[in-house]
């Protein structure tokens, strides 16, 4: 049986046995496990048990769910030792049977902690009902322990002076190393994170995995997020060094003991200071601040790990500041400097891209689609913000097209042919094959004709002299006069759209609904889109849902969400969030004040 070890940002832990087939996690009352920090969504995630398998699923939470430092999409499997991050909380998966293998004396430790911490995080009813299950799980496993005794398991041996020669057998498929007592391997040292790393066995292979630790994981002097271990590999976790020994093998560590803490006692330090002050005078100040007790290369390497975390979290200013400090240190190697320089350049570029993206998002949110698309074009193609903006771009481009086509038709009807062409060209400059714009471009326009003019001629460059001459010839030829009564019908030419779009009546109606939406006539847009929803359901419900978000009609918003495809749902969530409506799973609700 599995259980969760829930740890908050102060290091307090609460064990919760997984005895239900579904456990919901979130900030709102009614969840199986309630986590009260603000960076937890009201209904954030759920853990599902299917037969003997365990899964975690992100319920479209705002800040997401991470499993072993990777953000998940949808539902992913879980195993013993996996770590789930939800907001400021870390939820470790533990298997009771595996934990029962050590001596029985270790069993009472977690139980008092569970009882005292349960009210702060876990559902009290679940905690109370789970107690018998935990106790029962502690009974049978000891009989299984002797089966592993004949084989010498793989193990870690500490070779740093702070925990020298301590050995830790790797008897489980996954073992977590950290500073606190709820870890499989406890290294209570200030340089070790609460949950620092994990050793994972995959068949006959062993890997070490960094669990977002502050000081990182180094194997044989190189930084890794995950790497396979071989005999004799030196693993540095902060200021603690361990040697990996494969199953059934031994290794001589007598000449491998090192002091990663500096090793000076206070008395030695004071004596050295006095000696240096007497002999070197002012030079002692330099030694105390920059002497051999500080390894610039090691400090720079650790700083680069922090920089990488800042980049992943899009903290560009912090990344620039930290890399600048590395680059100003002359004692740092060229390799570290090259890496720091590259990361600084990336952070500076992304910081600028963020400014452009903010301008893009602000313009899009206020309905100024021309400025939004101009800003989008400025975002570098390799920037992370380009991909973020792309989703919004796909949503606002149709609105941009509708705005310009409407303005083009108004200009054409009033004989402002240059303005008519400019509006059409604004669309074709961005999307040369935009079918609606190409169809409108071919329509007639007579300069200065006005909406009631009887003349209509295609407004093409270089053809204006012929257009001015045609009316004169027509006025001289009485044979053409019978055609004049038909001329006033020319301004209605937008109805030619069906030659490009076969569903002319439906699309025309939806275009009108879209125009009403853009102009803020949300109720009218809803009525018009509803009248033709059967002809183009997704597009119609996209307009209906977006308009409903603006008038805060939650029932209609939820109806639209059920009828939309995935891109349509994503756009609906985006529009509703701008209007103070939050999405929890498949339900929309007004945001909490």
């Amino acid at each position: 049986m599995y259980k969760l070890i829930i740890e908050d940002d102060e290091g307090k832990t609460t064990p919760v046995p997984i005895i239900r087939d579904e456990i919901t996690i979130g900030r709102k009352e009614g969840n199986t496990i309630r986590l009260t920090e603000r960076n937890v969504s009201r209904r954030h995630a759920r853990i599902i048990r299917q037969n003997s398998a365990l899964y975690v699923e992100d319920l479209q939470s705002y800040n997401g769910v991470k499993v072993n430092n990777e953000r998940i999409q949808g539902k992913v499997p879980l195993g013993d030792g996996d770590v789930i991050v939800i907001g400021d909380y870390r939820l470790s998966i533990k298997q009771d049977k595996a934990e029962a293998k050590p001596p029985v004396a270790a069993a009472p430790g977690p139980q008092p902690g569970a009882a005292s911490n349960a009210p702060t995080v876990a559902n009290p009813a679940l905690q109370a009902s789970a107690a018998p299950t935990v106790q029962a799980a502690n009974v049978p496993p000891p009989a299984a322990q002797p089966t592993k005794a004949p084989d010498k398991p793989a193990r870690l041996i500490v070779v740093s002076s702070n925990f020298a020669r301590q050995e830790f057998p790797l008897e489980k498929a996954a073992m977590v190393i950290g500073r606190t007592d709820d870890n499989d391997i406890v290294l209570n040292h200030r340089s070790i994170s609460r949950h620092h790393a994990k050793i994972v066995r995959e068949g006959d292979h062993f890997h070490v995995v960094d669990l977002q630790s502050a000081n990182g994981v180094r194997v044989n002097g190189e930084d890794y997020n995950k790497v396979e271990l071989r005999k004799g590999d030196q693993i540095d976790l902060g200021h603690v060094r361990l040697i990996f020994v494969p199953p059934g093998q031994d290794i001589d560590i007598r000449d491998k003991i090192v002091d990663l803490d500096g090793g000076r006692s206070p008395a030695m330090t004071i004596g050295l200071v006095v000696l240096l002050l007497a002999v070197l005078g002012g030079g002692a100040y330099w030694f105390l601040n920059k002497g051999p007790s500080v390894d610039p290369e090691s400090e720079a390497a650790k700083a680069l790990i922090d920089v990488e975390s800042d980049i992943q979290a899009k903290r560009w200013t912090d990344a620039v500041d930290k890399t600048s400090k590395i680059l100003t240190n002359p004692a740092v190697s060229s390799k570290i400097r090259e890496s720091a320089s590259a990361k600084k350049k990336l952070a500076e570029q992304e910081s600028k891209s963020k400014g452009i993206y903010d301008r893009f998002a602000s313009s899009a949110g206020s309905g100024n689609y021309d400025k939004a698309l101009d800003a989008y074009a400025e975002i570098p193609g390799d920037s992370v913000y380009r991909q973020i903006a792309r989703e919004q771009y796909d949503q606002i481009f149709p609105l941009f097209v509708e705005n310009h086509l409407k303005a083009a038709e108004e200009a054409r009807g009033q004989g402002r042919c240059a303005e008519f062409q400019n509006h059409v060209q604004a669309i074709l400059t961005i999307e040369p094959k935009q079918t609606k714009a190409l169809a409108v471009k071919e329509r007639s326009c007579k300069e200065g004709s006005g909406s009631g003019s009887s003349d209509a001629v295609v407004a093409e460059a270089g053809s204006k002299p012929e257009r001015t001459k045609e009316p004169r010839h027509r006025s001289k030829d009485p044979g053409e006069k019978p055609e004049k009564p038909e001329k006033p019908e020319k301004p209605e030419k937008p109805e030619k759209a069906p030659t490009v779009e076969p569903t002319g009546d439906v699309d025309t109606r939806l275009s009108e609904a879209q125009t009403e939406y853009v102009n803020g006539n949300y109720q009218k847009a809803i009525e018009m889109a509803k009248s033709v929803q059967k002809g183009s359901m997704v597009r119609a419900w996209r307009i209906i849902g977006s308009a409903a978000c603006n008038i805060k009609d939650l029932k209609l918003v939820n109806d639209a969400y059920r009828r939309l495809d995935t891109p349509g749902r994503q756009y609906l969530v985006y529009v509703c969030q701008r209007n103070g409506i939050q999405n929890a799973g498949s339900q929309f609700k007004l945001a909490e004040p």
Side-chain angles (χ1 to χ4, degrees):
M1 178 173 293
Y2 290 97
K3 67 178 177 179
L4 285 175
I5 305 297
I6 305 172
E7 178 183 359
D8 62 20
D9 57 351
E10 296 179 353
K12 296 179 181 178
T13 60
T14 301
V16 178
I18 302 176
I19 60 173
R20 299 184 180 183
D21 290 336
E22 178 177 319
I23 293 177
T24 58
I25 304 170
R27 192 177 76 248
K28 184 181 178 182
E29 291 183 2
N31 287 288
T32 314
I33 297 175
R34 188 183 178 202
L35 306 178
T36 56
E37 291 296 329
R38 293 185 61 85
N39 54 8
V40 178
S41 296
R42 287 176 295 177
R43 194 166 180 267
H44 201 110
R46 65 175 176 173
I47 294 175
I48 306 166
R49 186 177 63 180
Q50 296 177 349
N51 298 325
S52 60
L54 208 60
Y55 301 87
V56 62
E57 181 180 8
D58 184 4
L59 299 179
Q60 296 185 340
S61 61
Y62 185 79
N63 289 316
V65 176
K66 289 185 178 181
V67 175
N68 299 334
N69 201 23
E70 295 291 337
R71 183 161 181 169
I72 67 170
Q73 298 291 334
K75 184 170 70 173
V76 300
L78 294 171
D80 186 29
D82 284 338
V83 176
I84 307 167
V85 176
I86 296 178
D88 291 335
Y89 298 89
R90 297 171 63 91
L91 294 79
S92 304
I93 302 295
K94 300 290 183 183
Q95 195 167 16
D96 285 342
K97 290 183 179 180
E99 289 188 357
K101 290 178 183 178
V104 178
Q111 293 175 357
S116 60
N117 291 333
T120 62
V121 177
N123 185 315
L126 174 65
Q127 195 73 23
S129 63
T133 306
V134 176
Q135 292 172 2
N138 288 333
V139 177
Q145 180 68 18
T147 59
K148 288 190 175 182
D151 297 327
K152 200 169 189 179
R155 60 197 188 279
L156 296 176
I157 304 176
V158 183
V159 294
S160 53
S161 57
N162 36 29
F163 298 97
R165 295 181 174 83
Q166 288 192 34
E167 295 191 13
F168 301 98
L170 305 177
E171 298 177 320
K172 296 164 57 177
M175 298 187 69
V176 180
I177 308 171
R179 191 179 67 247
T180 55
D181 292 338
D182 60 324
N183 290 280
D184 301 296
I185 298 174
V186 179
L187 296 173
N188 190 4
H189 191 274
R190 64 183 183 280
S191 66
I192 301 293
S193 297
R194 290 194 300 269
H195 300 288
H196 198 111
K198 178 171 67 172
I199 304 296
V200 181
R201 184 177 71 239
E202 299 174 359
D204 295 331
H205 302 277
F206 289 79
H207 296 80
V208 60
V209 181
D210 186 12
L211 299 180
Q212 288 185 301
S213 60
N215 290 321
V217 174
R218 307 187 84 190
V219 177
N220 300 329
E222 296 291 333
D223 298 313
Y224 291 99
N225 289 324
K226 179 179 180 180
V227 66
E228 183 177 353
L229 297 173
R230 293 179 173 80
K231 181 179 180 180
D233 279 349
Q234 297 181 354
I235 308 167
D236 287 350
L237 309 178
H239 294 163
V240 179
R241 177 170 294 175
L242 306 99
I243 296 286
F244 173 71
V245 182
Q249 300 188 37
D250 289 301
I251 194 167
D252 187 358
I253 65 166
R254 286 177 296 181
D255 60 343
K256 299 183 183 296
I257 303 299
V258 293
D259 182 7
L260 301 182
D261 265 338
R264 292 194 183 91
S265 66
M268 290 176 61
T269 303
I270 294 172
L272 183 58
V273 170
V274 173
L275 178 62
L276 288 171
L277 288 173
V279 177
L280 300 177
Y285 177 82
W286 177 89
F287 185 87
L288 290 174
N289 289 275
K290 301 182 180 179
S293 60
V294 177
D295 179 6
E297 188 77 0
S298 176
E299 293 299 318
K302 292 176 183 177
L304 277 181
I305 296 173
D306 290 341
V307 169
E308 186 61 34
S309 297
D310 291 334
I311 290 175
Q312 294 297 323
K314 301 182 181 63
R315 296 188 294 265
W316 312 119
T317 302
D318 292 345
V320 171
D321 291 344
K322 291 173 184 177
T323 50
S324 297
K325 290 180 181 178
I326 295 173
L327 293 171
T328 55
N329 189 344
V332 174
S333 68
S334 59
K335 182 179 179 181
I336 294 289
R337 293 176 68 84
E338 288 175 6
S339 179
S341 179
K343 292 181 186 297
K344 180 181 179 181
K345 183 178 180 181
L346 172 63
E348 289 174 337
Q349 289 175 343
E350 291 294 8
S351 181
K352 292 179 181 177
S353 297
K354 182 182 183 301
I356 301 172
Y357 170 77
D358 290 343
R359 180 155 43 91
F360 161 81
S362 176
S363 299
S366 63
N368 194 335
Y369 305 126
D370 288 77
K371 282 190 176 180
L373 296 186
D374 287 343
Y376 176 80
E378 296 179 33
I379 303 175
D382 58 351
S383 170
V384 297
Y385 292 102
R386 182 75 172 207
Q387 181 60 37
I388 297 173
R390 180 69 199 185
E391 297 177 6
Q392 298 175 43
Y393 170 90
D394 291 341
Q395 309 302 333
I396 68 172
F397 182 71
L399 305 178
F400 166 82
V401 171
E402 294 296 339
N403 281 358
H404 278 287
L405 289 183
K406 179 185 175 184
E409 286 300 335
E410 290 178 354
R412 187 181 72 87
Q414 297 175 15
R416 302 194 305 272
C417 297
E419 184 179 338
F420 163 73
Q421 291 290 352
N422 287 339
H423 281 295
V424 176
Q425 192 58 42
I427 300 170
L428 296 177
T429 298
I430 297 176
E431 183 54 68
K433 295 183 180 180
Q434 216 287 326
T435 54
K436 289 185 179 180
L438 290 173
V440 171
K441 184 179 181 181
E442 299 303 322
R443 294 176 184 172
S444 306
C445 181
K446 171 65 187 298
E447 192 72 39
S449 62
S451 59
S453 172
S454 61
D455 296 306
V457 182
V458 176
E460 297 290 346
S463 62
K464 287 184 180 179
E466 295 180 8
R467 294 174 188 166
T468 57
K469 290 179 182 178
E470 279 189 55
R472 295 174 190 165
H473 291 299
R474 289 175 181 170
S475 63
K476 292 177 183 179
D477 187 353
E480 295 185 7
K481 287 183 180 180
E483 298 180 5
K484 288 186 177 180
E486 299 178 5
K487 298 289 185 176
E489 297 180 7
K490 292 285 186 177
E492 298 181 7
K493 277 195 172 181
E495 294 180 3
K496 285 188 176 180
T499 59
V500 179
E501 300 176 22
T503 57
D505 293 340
V506 173
D507 285 346
T508 299
R509 189 70 171 166
L510 288 176
S511 295
E512 293 171 353
Q514 183 71 52
T515 300
E516 295 296 339
Y517 171 79
V518 172
N519 291 333
N521 301 323
Y522 302 120
Q523 194 61 51
K524 189 173 182 180
I526 291 171
E527 294 171 1
M528 296 176 72
K530 277 187 173 181
S531 68
V532 290
Q533 60 177 291
K534 293 182 179 179
S536 181
M537 190 183 77
V538 172
R539 186 181 174 193
W541 279 101
R542 192 163 174 169
I543 296 172
I544 294 168
S546 301
C549 285
N550 282 273
I551 62 176
K552 294 182 172 56
D553 186 337
L554 297 180
K555 182 179 181 302
L556 196 53
V557 170
N558 287 311
D559 287 345
Y561 187 85
R562 287 193 294 271
R563 289 171 168 83
L564 287 171
D565 55 9
T566 299
R569 290 180 174 182
Q570 292 174 346
Y571 179 60
L572 187 63
V573 171
Y574 166 72
V575 174
C576 283
Q577 285 178 345
R578 282 171 38 203
N579 287 279
I581 299 175
Q582 293 181 347
N583 170 251
S586 60
Q587 293 295 314
F588 288 81
K589 297 180 181 180
L590 290 174
E592 296 177 354

